[in-house]
Amino acid sequence: MKIKNYNFTNKKVIVRVDFNVPLNDKFEVTDDTRIRAAIPTILKIIETGAVILMSHFGRPKGREEKFSLKHILPTLSELTGKKIFFADDCIGEEAVNKAKNLKNGEILILENLRFYKEEKNGDEIFAGKLASLGDVFVNDAFGAVHRAHASTSIIAKFFPEDKMFGFVIENELKNIDKLLNNSQKPFTAIMGGAKVSSKITIIENLMNKVDNMIIGGGMTYTFVKAEGGKIGNSLVENEKLDLIPEIIKKAEKAGVKLYIPTDSVNADNFSNDAKTEITKIDNVSEGMMGLDIGEETIKTFCEVIKNSSTILWNGPVGVFEMSNFENGTKKIAQAIAQATKNGAFSLIGGGDSVAAINKYKLADKVSYISTGGGALLEYIEGKKLPGIEAILKQ
Ligand code: AMP
């Protein structure tokens, strides 16, 4: 069932969106990317039907006003050009009445689903109460498809004939499938970020797909220590050291070229005005910590990226939040933009690399930016995701 072809006339459509957006201390939305992403789905449905939106928002412990979805109403209203109706509770009498009175062309948003622990617990009765508000279920929250929550997967069973993905999820799946199954060679993955533990499965899984695997960021130093290098006070996961030779062996066996940084920008503490040095990657001085890749590494990595036809980037290669340690990440982002301009397909995913692409104003210079962090990684890992399975299952 496709959103494009479905007839929503006179239907009340309950739509799971991901409106988990950042707010400032005046409770104003500071980055509306996720709300913006859901607009095509909302507008498509209200051409002929009515929309009931539901989302999680932050990590409330019970009902907490600072996590109320009412804070996003002005932004949603501005982006849709519509008055937005709001139900102070996602289930119960008010939600039922407001949903019942909703007319074609109108939008209602329910209060934060996570005010109920039943949401995360995947409670079937709670899911049934949400389901009773609508005639059709649309899931458009890609960032939450790896969760078996009431509103992301359990609810789907109440709509055996009338459930589908919204445009956000459809687009995500199309682009990730293009990356994984239709990729032009050479295919390069750039894996950065803080920890190897959160990326290990995806690194292993990608060995069967990519030609080049570039490693950067904090996890570099676990690789370097495992190979006998000196890493000073750099980030390290000692309990993962044993896995590194396995990864290296796996890459060799699969014919994947594994790129580990060769030089390192080190700091005497984790701050932007720390004293710095540049060393070989395996010779970080005692008391110093590696926070960025050096020029030699940048040159090698950018060369590989520019010669690639397919690129996946997940995670910064340094502490790009600090201006003195952002150089590597910035250069990688620029190289990806350059490769894209030359015809490569580039997919950026995972919160921090997306933040980096935005910081360097290159968002429109890459092929696709995923809205999912954990969900994207798990999908690439080849896991069956509950939010996707629930829609596909007959
Ligand atoms: P992740 O969520 O695992 O993708 O990690 C992203 C974070 O890793 C960013 O906030 C970076 O500042 C951080 N990071 C990148 N490189 C390093 C490094 N060499 N040492 C410590 N943290 C790093």
Side-chain angles (χ1 to χ4, degrees), residues 10 49 79 82 96 120 122 140 143 175 202 238 250 290 292 343 352:
N10 299 327
L79 292 174
K82 289 275 192 182
V96 169
K120 274 181 144 183
D140 215 18
N175 280 287
I202 181 167
N238 286 317
K250 207 163 176 181
D292 197 7
D352 282 313

Side-chain angles (χ1 to χ4, degrees), residues 17-317:
V17 285
D18 179 0
F19 284 176
N20 190 24
V21 292
L23 301 180
N24 62 18
D25 51 9
K26 289 195 213 107
F27 297 107
E28 293 159 341
V29 174
T30 53
D31 180 351
D32 63 5
T33 311
R34 285 177 170 163
I35 304 178
R36 226 172 249 283
I39 300 300
T41 294
I42 297 170
L43 294 183
K44 163 72 186 162
I45 297 168
I46 60 170
E47 277 172 15
T48 51
V51 163
I52 303 160
L53 298 169
M54 55 176 179
S55 179
H56 70 290
F57 191 35
R59 294 187 172 164
K61 296 182 180 67
R63 201 181 167 102
E64 284 187 74
E65 282 309 296
K66 67 175 174 186
F67 293 116
S68 171
L69 273 167
K70 71 178 180 228
H71 302 309
I72 64 121
L73 294 182
T75 308
L76 185 57
S77 178
E78 198 186 311
L79 292 174
T80 53
K82 289 275 192 182
K83 172 175 188 243
I84 310 292
F85 296 90
F86 178 65
D88 207 24
D89 198 344
C90 61
I91 53 170
E93 204 176 330
E94 189 194 340
V96 169
N97 287 334
K98 287 197 167 157
K100 203 188 301 165
N101 294 330
L102 204 64
K103 300 189 190 64
N104 292 338
E106 291 184 338
I107 304 168
L108 166 69
I109 179 160
L110 308 174
E111 184 52 288
N112 191 350
L113 295 159
R114 288 206 189 151
F115 283 178
Y116 287 86
K117 62 177 179 345
E118 287 85 348
E119 161 64 357
K120 274 181 144 183
N121 292 346
D123 185 278
E124 196 162 328
I125 296 170
F126 178 71
K129 287 181 186 165
L130 295 171
S132 72
L133 302 174
D135 311 303
V136 183
F137 171 58
V138 173
N139 189 357
D140 215 18
F142 182 69
V145 289
H146 56 322
R147 313 273 187 221
H149 293 172
S151 69
T152 58
S153 91
I154 313 303
I155 188 173
K157 69 173 69 158
F158 295 93
F159 300 94
E161 306 288 332
D162 301 283
K163 55 181 182 176
M164 69 203 78
F165 298 126
F167 291 123
V168 172
I169 296 190
E170 268 190 8
N171 237 336
E172 290 279 354
L173 300 185
K174 195 174 82 193
N175 280 287
I176 305 169
D177 284 340
K178 181 169 173 183
L179 182 91
L180 295 179
N181 304 321
N182 261 320
S183 55
Q184 302 285 322
K185 304 238 146 206
F187 181 174
T188 299
I190 305 135
M191 303 304 292
K195 292 185 166 177
V196 74
S197 50
S198 56
K199 308 277 162 88
I200 197 100
T201 334
I202 181 167
I203 290 175
E204 289 189 331
N205 189 276
L206 282 169
M207 290 296 182
N208 303 320
K209 310 258 183 207
V210 301
D211 304 292
N212 305 305
M213 169 72 67
I214 291 179
I215 302 289
M219 68 172 137
T220 303
Y221 302 93
T222 301
F223 276 80
V224 174
K225 184 170 178 186
E227 295 281 277
K230 278 169 44 191
I231 60 161
N233 279 348
S234 305
L235 202 64
V236 64
E237 287 171 280
N238 286 317
E239 66 290 353
K240 300 291 169 201
L241 289 171
D242 290 349
L243 292 175
I244 304 298
E246 283 172 37
I247 294 179
I248 294 171
K249 218 182 288 160
K250 207 163 176 181
E252 266 166 22
K253 209 166 148 209
V256 173
K257 195 129 186 20
L258 188 62
Y259 289 90
I260 314 282
T262 51
D263 57 350
S264 178
V265 180
N266 311 324
D268 67 349
N269 67 74
F270 194 78
S271 81
N272 196 38
D273 41 39
K275 253 201 229 120
T276 60
E277 64 168 17
I278 298 166
T279 62
K280 286 279 167 207
I281 198 78
D282 56 359
N283 199 23
V284 177
S285 303
E286 203 63 37
M288 302 290 275
M289 58 180 88
L291 297 185
D292 197 7
I293 54 176
E295 287 296 340
E296 183 184 88
T297 307
I298 290 174
K299 195 157 171 267
T300 312
F301 285 9
C302 288
E303 203 55 37
V304 175
I305 291 166
K306 284 182 193 158
N307 288 320
S308 300
S309 296
T310 305
I311 300 162
L312 166 67
W313 183 26
N314 177 275
V317 295

Side-chain angles (χ1 to χ4, degrees), residues 142 172 176 314 347 349-350 370 372-381:
F142 182 69
E172 290 279 354
I176 305 169
N314 177 275
L347 189 150
S370 173
L376 173 76
L377 295 188
E378 289 193 24
Y379 190 73
I380 294 178
E381 278 166 25

